Amino acid sequence: MRVPERYQVNTSSFSFYWSKGLGVELLRKLPKKLSIAAADQFTPLLYQFDNSCDQFVEQLHLKIGFHQGQQLLKDALAGKPIDAAYEHVLLNFLNTLDLSPSWLDWNKIEQGIGLSQRSGLSGLIVLRDYVLMGGYESSAINKPLIFTGVTSPEKSIQVFSD
């Protein structure tokens, strides 16, 4: 099993978040009591990775560069003609994707896109460079989501709208 290089346990902020920070209020709102032991069942998920995506990056992006690789991917998704040398790489990867899961609501996607674009380029830079990247590395942010025990987008909407 391959261990993700980017994962580090952040014990200092996690403890503060749940004992004195915003997590205290979140715990009061959740429908069930949570524990570290219950969350530990999700630890193996940290070690899962996407083999087909890793292979795609190795066969395309690492060979021709990120910008050109992304352009080929965009062209393929848009149905435009693509370089024959990379057609098999793109098709093999795209065939592994489930592009429209049953729960997908394109109206909500469009609303989210519109909302995120309201702030213009500066807001998108903040979202990309700080909020998303900071969120993914901070256990104080992602642990509350794991602790809910929610396993699908439909259930998360129900949990957080109550």
Side-chain angles (χ1 to χ4, degrees), residues 21-33:
L22 296 175
V24 174
E25 183 64 26
L26 177 63
L27 287 174
R28 278 184 255 180
K29 292 180 179 180
L30 291 176
K32 58 184 175 181
K33 295 295 178 201

Side-chain angles (χ1 to χ4, degrees), residues 146-159:
I146 294 169
F147 276 17
T148 65
V150 172
T151 57
S152 71
E154 298 93 349
K155 290 181 184 176
S156 65
I157 292 167
Q158 292 169 352
V159 167

Side-chain angles (χ1 to χ4, degrees), residues 9-76:
V9 176
N10 185 346
T11 55
S12 61
S13 65
F14 182 78
S15 174
F16 178 83
Y17 182 84
W18 291 109
S19 62
K20 299 175 185 158
L22 296 175
V24 174
E25 183 64 26
L26 177 63
L27 287 174
R28 278 184 255 180
K29 292 180 179 180
L30 291 176
K32 58 184 175 181
K33 295 295 178 201
L34 306 171
S35 69
I36 295 292
D40 282 344
Q41 69 180 326
F42 297 104
T43 300
L45 299 176
L46 293 171
Y47 301 103
Q48 291 183 357
F49 53 95
D50 187 340
N51 287 323
S52 40
C53 191
D54 288 348
Q55 185 178 22
F56 177 67
V57 168
E58 289 171 9
Q59 293 175 346
L60 186 69
H61 290 86
L62 294 180
K63 289 187 178 175
I64 65 172
F66 181 78
H67 180 73
Q68 190 177 353
Q70 284 300 102
Q71 189 58 53
L72 283 174
L73 179 58
K74 287 177 186 177
D75 290 347

Side-chain angles (χ1 to χ4, degrees), residues 121-152:
L121 182 59
S122 297
L124 292 174
I125 289 171
V126 169
L127 177 66
R128 179 196 71 198
D129 293 348
Y130 179 72
V131 177
L132 294 175
M133 297 309 292
Y136 288 129
E137 74 176 6
S138 172
S139 63
I141 294 171
N142 62 34
K143 290 288 182 177
L145 297 175
I146 294 169
F147 276 17
T148 65
V150 172
T151 57
S152 71

